[in-house]
Every structure is written in structure tokens, then in C-alpha cells.
């Protein structure tokens, strides 16, 4: 019995060390957005479009995957053919952005901790519906008050809002956007 107790006492630190290794998985920090970053779906430089952007890190990928819109970023997490070993999802914190045309190069928020204004009058840089991210509820409420829409968490963004073909960023533009170029109102941040 005593040998068993000694053996357990010696093995316990090793078992606990194994648990700590699993918790020590390092989450990659967000990258600063640069002119070299190309949108995964549109193949264009992410800086060429106004509005919030995103990038995702996956264990199976060497570099982050960049997106010209937050809707594209969220779509990546929903599509069956994309990697599922996602480590981090970063989106522009529009509460800290200088304005809609300049979403900021390094004001990121982890998407799963962000609040999103969906169904607003503001369109993405490609003319589709956008999920506008914020780290602060008051900033999201101000934006929704000025631009319409509702506030939801990451897991509450409706699948059809993100994946509907008429609204897919980089794909067919919505009917509203097809009527002409976006007006100044759709490009302004409050």
C-alpha cells in the first residue's frame, strides 16, 4: 500500500504537467494589416476596400488568412471545406476605427468576444451586407442607433445572413447596392 502511495505521489506531478501543457497552447496575436494582405475570397488587397476586415489563424496553416469583410471572415468558419482547427479569429474593432474608410491596421478584437451589428444600412466595402464588430457594447449601441440593425454575439450571427448568395461579399451585390454606388451615409462611421 505504501509503495502505491509513493508511486502515486511521484506520478502526480507528471500528470499535472501534462494537463498544464494542454492549457499552454499559445494563441497567436493579431497581425497588423498591411498592403501585402490579400482577401481570401476576393483575391484583392484588403486595404482597397472600406469597412471592417478580419483574419484567421488555423493550426494547419502557416500564415493568417485575410478577409476584405467581416462577413467573409465569419463565412470561413461556417463553410465545410475550410479548416476547422481555428486558433484565433480577429476582426476590426470599429468602435476604435478612425472612420469607415479607415478601419485601422491594428485595432483588433477576437471575434468570439465581439458584438456585431447586423442588418444595418451600412454596406461592406464590396457592397454587401456587413456584420460590424465592436468590443464595447456602448459603441455598438451608438452605431445601431445611427445606422439601424441589431446587436448579436458571434454565435448568434445567422448563418443565412452570412452565406446568402445575394449578400455574399465579393459575389453578387444586394439589390440595394446594385442600384448605384453607396452614398456617403453608408461609408461614414458615427
Amino acid at each position: 500500500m505504501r509503495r502505491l502511495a509513493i508511486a502515486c505521489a511521484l506520478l502526480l506531478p507528471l500528470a499535472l504537467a501534462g494537463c498544464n501543457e494542454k492549457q499552454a497552447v499559445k494563441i497567436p496575436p493579431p497581425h497588423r494589416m498591411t498592403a501585402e494582405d490579400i482577401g481570401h475570397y476576393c483575391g484583392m488587397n484588403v486595404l482597397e476596400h472600406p469597412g471592417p476586415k478580419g483574419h484567421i489563424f488555423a493550426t494547419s496553416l502557416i500564415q493568417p488568412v485575410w478577409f476584405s469583410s467581416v462577413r467573409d471572415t465569419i463565412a470561413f468558419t461556417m463553410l465545410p471545406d475550410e479548416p476547422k482547427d481555428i486558433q484565433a479569429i480577429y476582426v476590426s474593432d470599429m468602435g476604435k476605427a478612425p472612420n469607415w474608410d479607415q478601419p485601422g491596421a491594428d485595432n483588433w478584437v477576437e471575434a468570439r468576444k465581439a458584438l456585431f451589428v447586423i442588418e444595418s444600412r451600412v454596406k461592406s466595402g464590396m457592397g454587401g451586407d456587413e456584420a460590424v464588430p465592436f468590443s464595447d457594447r456602448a459603441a455598438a449601441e451608438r452605431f445601431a442607433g445611427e445606422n439601424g440593425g441589431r446587436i448579436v454575439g458571434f454565435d448568434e450571427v445567422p448563418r443565412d445572413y452570412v452565406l446568402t448568395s445575394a449578400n455574399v461579399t465579393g459575389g453578387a451585390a444586394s439589390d440595394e447596392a446594385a442600384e448605384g454606388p453607396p452614398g456617403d451615409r453608408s461609408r461614414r462611421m458615427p
Side-chain angles (χ1 to χ4, degrees):
M1 183 70 151
R2 183 177 170 147
R3 285 184 187 178
L4 180 61
I6 292 172
C8 287
L10 293 174
L11 292 176
L12 184 60
L14 294 175
L16 291 176
C19 291
N20 288 337
E21 285 177 22
K22 290 179 184 176
Q23 293 175 353
V25 173
K26 186 168 174 142
I27 304 299
H31 282 201
R32 182 174 179 80
M33 188 167 42
T34 69
E36 288 79 39
D37 300 322
I38 303 298
H40 181 66
Y41 295 122
C42 69
M44 301 170 76
N45 183 293
V46 295
L47 295 176
E48 292 178 16
H49 307 288
K53 313 291 182 245
H55 62 294
I56 292 178
F57 291 88
T59 305
S60 60
L61 303 173
I62 296 170
Q63 296 292 323
V65 181
W66 287 91
F67 302 92
S68 298
S69 76
V70 172
R71 282 187 66 241
D72 284 356
T73 309
I74 296 171
F76 184 91
T77 69
M78 295 177 172
L79 294 171
D81 292 341
E82 300 295 2
K84 298 301 173 217
D85 58 347
I86 294 172
Q87 296 174 296
I89 307 166
Y90 295 107
V91 291
S92 302
D93 182 350
M94 294 307 284
K96 296 178 181 174
N99 57 56
W100 190 256
D101 290 329
Q102 299 169 327
D106 56 7
N107 50 300
W108 303 106
V109 59
E110 216 299 336
R112 292 169 284 207
K113 296 177 181 176
L115 297 168
F116 298 87
V117 177
I118 61 171
E119 302 165 355
S120 75
R121 291 183 293 277
V122 177
K123 300 298 176 189
S124 73
M126 300 290 284
D129 292 335
E130 184 59 284
V132 185
F134 296 89
S135 63
D136 177 64
R137 178 167 286 281
E141 288 171 352
R142 257 190 320 279
F143 182 88
E146 294 175 12
N147 299 287
R150 63 187 175 104
I151 300 170
V152 298
F154 180 81
D155 291 330
E156 300 167 312
V157 176
R159 185 176 178 84
D160 62 339
Y161 183 76
V162 173
L163 298 178
T164 301
S165 63
N167 297 326
V168 172
T169 302
S174 66
D175 293 338
E176 208 171 280
E179 292 174 7
D184 288 339
R185 178 176 206 161
S186 69
R187 298 175 64 104
R188 269 186 278 160
M189 279 293 295

